[in-house]
Amino acid sequence: MIRPHRVGDRLFGDVGATLVTVAGNQYAGVCIDTGSGTGFCAEHSAIATMVTAGEYQIARIVAVWRNETGDLHVLPPCGRCREFIRQIDPANLDTEIVLGRYRSAPLRELLPEHQWPEALDHPHRPDDAAPSVEPSAADGLD
């Protein structure tokens, strides 16, 4: 699957990703590095192939890169890929992310702050509806 191809100073296909869906189907993809920022990671490519086939839930995903001496490295998904996996289907928070030969973690552990945050303040109130706050003896301001 990894078949690096150089175009100018850019390298295409040097990272490959494979995923397995909850239905047991496998989809693969490679990265495309472009100078204009329109490229994408191997995980995106594999996920796009999965979605094209009508599937959305990922059981397991791994991305790999082979260096110039032939050593194979497992690459954890970047932040953009982690969020992309989450947004494809809410159940993907349980996707097993392969991090090495003997290591993996569910996406929810790699993307711990995945829920929309709570509001810091109450909903906006018009100025005339805001309660007045006056110092009292209990405040120690007398």
Side-chain angles (χ1 to χ4, degrees):
M1 170 175 57
I2 300 174
R3 293 181 189 97
H5 176 72
R6 188 165 296 282
V7 176
D9 65 342
R10 298 296 175 176
L11 192 58
F12 301 159
D14 65 322
V15 176
T18 299
L19 65 83
V20 178
T21 66
V22 295
N25 296 311
Q26 292 185 14
Y27 300 96
V30 296
C31 69
I32 303 291
D33 180 25
T34 62
S36 61
T38 58
F40 47 85
C41 297
E43 294 93 333
H44 281 214
S45 179
I47 291 167
T49 303
M50 173 191 72
V51 169
T52 300
E55 293 192 74
Y56 303 91
Q57 291 184 10
I58 304 166
R60 181 178 304 113
I61 190 167
V62 63
V64 295
W65 169 73
R66 189 174 304 279
N67 69 14
E68 57 280 345
T69 62
D71 299 324
L72 192 63
H73 299 266
V74 173
L75 302 177
C78 70
R80 181 174 177 238
C81 287
R82 294 174 195 197
E83 183 62 23
F84 189 66
I85 292 166
R86 182 189 75 83
Q87 288 191 29
I88 295 299
D89 190 288
N92 288 340
L93 282 170
D94 295 320
T95 296
E96 179 186 358
I97 308 296
V98 177
L99 300 170
R101 187 178 306 277
Y102 305 109
R103 288 184 49 222
S104 66
L107 178 63
R108 71 177 62 252
E109 288 182 15
L110 302 179
L111 195 63
E113 295 296 324
H114 59 271
Q115 296 176 336
W116 193 254
E118 294 182 20
L120 294 175
D121 300 316
H122 295 288
H124 179 71
R125 292 183 251 179
D127 290 336
D128 60 338
S132 63
V133 178
E134 296 187 28
S136 69
D139 294 329
L141 299 175
D142 50 19

